[in-house]
Amino acid sequence: MLPILSSLPTLRDALAAHTAVVLEAPPGAGKTTVVPPALLDCEWLAGRKIVMLEPRRLAAKSAARFMANALNEKPGDTVGYRVRLETRVGPRTRIEVVTEGVLTRMLQDDPALENVGLVIFDEFHERSLQADLGLALTLDVRENLRDDLRVLVMSATLDGARIGAFLDNAPVVHTEGRQFPVATEYLPMQTDEDVAARVALAARELMAREPGSLLAFLPGAGEIRRAAGKLQDALPPDVELAPLFGDLSPAEQDRAIRPAPAGRRKLVLATNIAESSLTIEGVRLVIDSGLERAPQFDPPSGMTRLVTRRISQASADQRRGRAGRMEPGLCVRLWREAETARLAPHAAPEMLDADLAPLVLELAGWGIADPERLRWLDAPPPAAFRQARELLGELGALDDDGRISAAGRAMLRLPVHPRLGHMLLAARERKIVPLAAAIAAILEARDPLASLREADIELRLRALASGEGIARGQQQALRASARQIAAQLDEQDAFERACGAGFDAAPAGWLIAQAYPDRIAQRRPGNEARYRMAGGHGAVLDAGDRLVNAPWLAVANVSGAGRDSRIFLAAELRAEDVAALEAEAGESVQLAFDAESRAVIARRVRRVGALELESQPVPVPRECAPGILLAGLRQHGLGLLPWDRETRGLCQRVETLRRLEPAAWAACDETSLVDALETWLLPFLDGKTRLAELSSRELRDALGFRIGHGKLRELDALAPGARAHRLQRRGSRACRAHPAILRPR
């Protein structure tokens, strides 16, 4: 009997009395597939639907199929699912298992969720950006439109107390797990050891000495393919090898999770897609590399890159639990036992280091420009939120007040990132939607030709159309994704025709520039492989890349930092595209201080971002020059001013007296003078564009202005300058020394 069954009465009572409940149930308890059907007849549901959010497409489809089979039905009857590229929902459907983007779309289309009585957030411990957003919007609906809407948050490794407190002290229901004993072995990898080779070796040894099927966790698809290559001809004849990662076709994913045929075993090489919500029949062995690949947004560059990182303790527990679902098992961890305690307890919320542009657009569509108007378990970081708003403003999705525009609403309806949505809308104007849909599908998926050292997206378009150089399943998945994107703009038939004939890739650069205007790149003079992007960052192509002679590129995918960021996907910008950019380029007059001439110089510059297209000298606006001169002095020092012996002596005399009476005299050392330039020098630079136009006499007058007219007479009396000494020697009584003041006290 599944452990969750004993907790169902408590759960039903809690949901009858509260609009929010937290359910903690360990792996194998049955929460994902047992809870939704068990709640269908609850009185408070009143015949309405249950919507359950699953973080991953494969888990959503698997859960829906399992529940439908338990009812002797097919998906689309009582139980259905909505995932990207596929929907199985009918008029009788009461339970809808959806992926995260689908939930926000449902909320945007029907903010009151009129026909929904319960929203379940499954595997909430993964803390994805869309799950946090979905919860915030659902709570907003409950507080403002539907006070009867129930929320159930479920997880195996959740901080239930914190979630319960966040949900207005919601009750937390605990369920004991049905976990068979799992032994744990540690086989630490060397620091520089290839993880794919290590997993392959451990898998061969483990399957040679242990019965049952094996599930091995690797960080990404590349490592899975390498490990599969090493295992292909090295496994016992009764073992079936199956990869499992997100970019596989649905048929290939289904093959990985199906039970092995009678008399055979299975070796599944998986990413963290298999970490939760999936049960692969027959698995009693697990190998855990301890690594995962996750997107990480870099605010300074505005780019998201995949990073390989250590998993959390919660993830390690989830992976280990895969071995004890059906019978006693064994988990082999490829790290030292002592390192387990040093793993982070839970994965950090994606909200804290993600690209927030999709979230900000969703909020704008919801009518919210300020995220503080919603309740967040972890609020969006202000800096990342501002950056996302600026990007959406540049793309025309938001107005200056952060409100969504007509173009933004059109982007919101497209199942892609706002950058790609902007590209698709631009493509519609030029009637090249099929090409844009193909590019969007390629950019949203794992690079189908990642093993090539070529960045040209034309090669990927050719592969999508013809299957050249990629697996058939990968081609089918790309075409299905592109077909769905094109269908959103009523261009599905045109896409099929274009795909059959082969894409004309000539406008690809222009399209990518619509999505990534900050990544328009110009080749640096004298270096064919290095480029400067409009966002100000440098990037480099491999020296042998076919694009290396292109003077202009539109870059879609770049990774790394500094001057050596590597360009992975790009297209050449044609001459007419560059001409269009020049026509749209911003023009401004730029002022700068030139230390050599000690003058302000002015240029009229036409730019695309940080890329300078044209520069011409122009007369300096005299009203703007003084401030630039002060900035130059701050950078290069006061030595650029016209000092003479008398002026320097003036400052030295003041500083002599300041040592005796600090409060009585204005500081005239260089640091103090630089800090106060606006108060003493700025008025004397009025109308000047060059420091050479300032005379030594004017500099003395400026210093006198700082010291004060009355203090100057006192200065000449107490510490006369060289001229006063000469007059005194000739018998003049105009200025006398004061020996008492000059003696140390």
Side-chain angles (χ1 to χ4, degrees):
M1 184 179 76
L2 289 171
I4 192 67
L5 295 174
S6 62
S7 299
L8 287 178
T10 304
L11 179 62
R12 290 164 64 99
D13 290 345
L15 283 167
H18 301 84
T19 55
V21 176
V22 178
L23 174 62
E24 286 185 325
K31 62 183 182 304
T32 300
T33 54
V34 172
V35 167
L39 300 176
L40 278 180
D41 62 348
C42 288
E43 184 177 345
W44 51 262
L45 194 58
R48 289 178 296 216
K49 288 184 179 182
I50 295 173
V51 173
M52 182 166 71
L53 177 72
E54 282 292 333
R56 296 183 176 88
R57 282 177 282 174
L58 182 59
K61 292 168 59 177
S62 177
R65 288 171 179 168
F66 187 95
M67 287 186 280
N69 289 339
L71 297 172
N72 294 316
E73 296 177 352
K74 294 181 179 179
D77 293 335
T78 303
V79 183
Y81 60 84
R82 297 178 192 264
V83 301
R84 189 180 180 192
L85 304 179
E86 193 174 358
T87 298
R88 293 288 185 272
V89 171
R92 295 178 51 248
T93 302
R94 297 275 319 281
I95 299 172
E96 291 190 22
V97 188
V98 304
T99 45
E100 294 167 333
V102 176
L103 176 61
T104 53
R105 184 83 296 104
M106 294 173 71
L107 286 160
Q108 294 282 12
D109 292 342
D110 178 19
L113 292 178
E114 293 290 354
N115 199 33
V116 177
L118 170 66
V119 180
I120 300 175
F121 293 84
D122 194 22
E123 307 298 352
F124 191 71
H125 68 276
E126 296 192 11
R127 297 297 310 281
S128 69
L129 180 70
Q130 285 289 337
D132 278 13
L133 172 62
L135 181 59
L137 297 182
T138 302
L139 294 179
D140 194 46
V141 170
R142 195 186 66 176
E143 292 172 5
N144 295 292
L145 297 174
R146 287 277 313 280
D147 59 3
D148 63 328
L149 181 64
R150 260 70 172 178
V151 173
L152 174 59
V153 177
M154 305 195 306
S155 177
T157 56
L158 190 68
D159 185 354
R162 183 189 177 208
I163 303 292
F166 172 72
L167 296 174
D168 301 319
N169 296 316
V172 180
V173 177
H174 299 274
T175 297
E176 297 299 325
R178 186 192 66 179
Q179 180 72 44
F180 289 94
V182 177
T184 306
E185 295 180 2
Y186 292 87
L187 295 175
M189 288 192 299
Q190 300 300 316
T191 303
D192 57 350
E193 190 172 4
D194 177 55
V195 63
R198 190 68 182 87
V199 167
L201 176 61
R204 286 198 303 268
E205 294 176 349
L206 195 56
M207 297 207 80
R209 66 180 171 92
E210 293 283 346
S213 293
L214 186 151
L215 172 60
F217 288 96
L218 292 104
E223 291 85 354
I224 287 175
R225 290 194 174 97
R226 293 204 307 274
K230 296 178 181 297
L231 287 165
Q232 195 67 53
D233 300 320
L235 293 172
D238 67 329
V239 176
E240 179 180 318
L241 185 63
L244 180 58
F245 52 89
D247 287 339
L248 291 176
S249 68
E252 290 171 309
Q253 292 180 343
D254 290 343
R255 172 177 169 267
I257 63 176
R258 280 197 307 265
R264 294 182 62 79
R265 299 185 291 163
K266 182 174 287 188
L267 197 170
V268 179
L269 302 173
T271 62
N272 56 8
I273 193 174
E275 200 170 283
S276 58
S277 297
L278 288 176
T279 297
I280 302 174
E281 299 290 341
V283 168
R284 61 170 298 273
L285 305 172
V286 165
I287 294 175
D288 186 1
S289 68
L291 301 172
E292 65 179 357
R293 191 153 294 136
Q296 185 176 74
F297 183 62
D298 178 40
S301 66
M303 293 180 286
T304 298
R305 61 180 184 271
L306 289 174
V307 297
T308 302
R309 66 188 185 190
R310 299 300 301 269
I311 61 174
S312 67
Q313 291 182 26
S315 292
D317 290 342
Q318 288 271 43
R319 294 181 178 189
R320 182 178 179 274
R322 301 287 104 185
R325 284 290 184 96
M326 313 302 295
E327 58 183 310
L330 171 64
C331 174
V332 176
R333 290 173 167 173
L334 302 184
W335 66 84
R336 293 179 177 82
E337 184 174 5
E339 294 175 6
T340 304
R342 295 197 290 271
L343 297 175
H346 298 275
E350 187 183 3
M351 177 76 74
L352 302 183
D353 59 4
D355 176 2
L356 297 187
L359 178 141
V360 174
L361 186 59
E362 292 283 359
L363 292 184
W366 195 252
I368 288 179
D370 182 0
E372 292 186 2
R373 288 178 54 191
L374 293 178
R375 294 175 58 196
W376 304 93
L377 192 57
D378 290 282
F385 194 91
R386 285 194 301 271
Q387 185 173 18
R389 277 189 57 170
E390 290 171 3
L391 170 64
L392 293 172
E394 292 172 9
L395 297 177
L398 303 180
D399 63 19
D400 292 340
D401 296 321
R403 292 188 296 263
I404 194 166
S405 65
R409 290 206 176 276
M411 292 181 205
L412 198 57
R413 289 191 291 270
L414 296 171
V416 294
H417 189 280
R419 285 182 180 270
L420 301 181
H422 183 258
M423 177 187 73
L424 289 163
L425 296 179
R428 185 170 60 183
E429 297 295 320
R430 284 203 178 186
K431 303 186 185 307
I432 50 175
V433 167
L435 176 62
I439 291 174
I442 290 168
L443 296 183
E444 288 218 312
R446 180 182 176 274
D447 184 0
L449 300 178
S451 59
L452 286 182
R453 305 290 288 185
E454 293 276 358
D456 196 349
I457 202 166
E458 183 177 355
L459 300 175
R460 282 77 179 170
L461 291 165
R462 192 181 304 160
L464 183 149
S466 67
E468 179 183 337
I470 63 173
R472 180 170 177 77
Q474 196 172 13
Q475 182 206 17
Q476 291 174 338
L478 282 173
R479 290 183 68 156
S481 177
R483 189 181 302 115
Q484 187 207 37
I485 293 169
Q488 298 294 315
L489 296 167
D490 299 320
E491 294 277 359
Q492 183 172 344
D493 293 341
F495 169 79
E496 297 292 356
R497 291 193 298 271
C499 197
F503 295 101
D504 174 13
W510 181 84
L511 284 170
I512 292 173
Q514 303 309 302
Y516 301 99
D518 49 332
R519 299 185 203 168
I520 295 168
Q522 184 180 27
R523 192 172 61 199
R524 293 182 183 273
N527 194 318
E528 292 182 345
R530 294 193 178 277
Y531 287 78
R532 179 177 172 83
M533 294 189 292
H537 297 273
V540 62
L541 281 170
D542 279 351
D545 197 290
R546 60 188 288 175
L547 292 175
V548 81
N549 292 317
W552 289 86
L553 295 176
V555 178
N557 190 349
V558 62
S559 181
R563 297 176 65 249
D564 293 324
S565 297
R566 184 185 164 200
I567 298 172
F568 286 100
L569 276 177
E572 181 173 3
L573 279 169
R574 301 169 299 177
E576 56 264 40
D577 298 329
V578 176
L581 288 172
E582 291 177 347
E584 299 171 1
E587 185 175 278
S588 62
V589 173
Q590 295 188 349
L591 303 177
F593 180 78
D594 179 60
E596 185 175 351
S597 62
R598 297 188 301 155
V600 177
I601 57 174
R603 297 183 302 156
R604 178 172 283 109
V605 179
R606 299 180 64 246
R607 288 182 178 274
V608 174
L611 302 179
E612 187 175 292
L613 302 179
E614 183 184 8
S615 174
Q616 293 181 337
V618 294
V620 176
R622 289 188 174 272
E623 67 276 9
C624 301
I628 307 297
L629 291 173
L630 293 190
L633 288 170
R634 284 201 169 91
Q635 181 179 0
H636 299 284
L638 299 186
L640 299 182
L641 292 173
W643 297 95
D644 59 14
R645 183 176 179 182
E646 187 173 347
T647 309
R648 291 187 185 280
L650 177 63
C651 290
Q652 291 167 359
R653 288 188 289 147
V654 170
E655 285 302 297
T656 297
L657 296 177
R658 278 194 74 245
R659 286 195 291 271
L660 301 174
E661 292 184 277
W665 297 92
C668 287
D669 62 284
E670 180 157 352
T671 300
S672 301
L673 291 176
V674 167
D675 289 342
L677 281 171
E678 283 83 2
T679 63
W680 65 276
L681 185 60
L682 184 61
F684 293 84
L685 294 176
D686 186 38
K688 295 179 172 59
T689 64
R690 308 168 63 87
L691 291 178
E693 296 173 12
L694 183 74
S695 67
S696 297
R697 175 63 179 268
E698 288 176 308
L699 178 57
R700 285 195 300 276
D701 290 344
L703 289 168
F705 179 75
R706 174 171 175 75
I707 296 166
H709 182 68
K711 298 296 286 186
L712 279 176
R713 289 196 299 272
E714 185 178 351
L715 175 67
D716 285 340
L718 299 177
R723 182 171 179 270
H725 280 296
R726 289 197 301 272
L727 291 173
Q728 189 179 42
R729 284 197 299 270
R730 290 198 299 266
S732 173
R733 301 176 59 87
C735 181
R736 297 182 180 275
H738 197 307
I741 289 294
L742 297 180
R743 287 198 303 269
R745 294 181 178 177

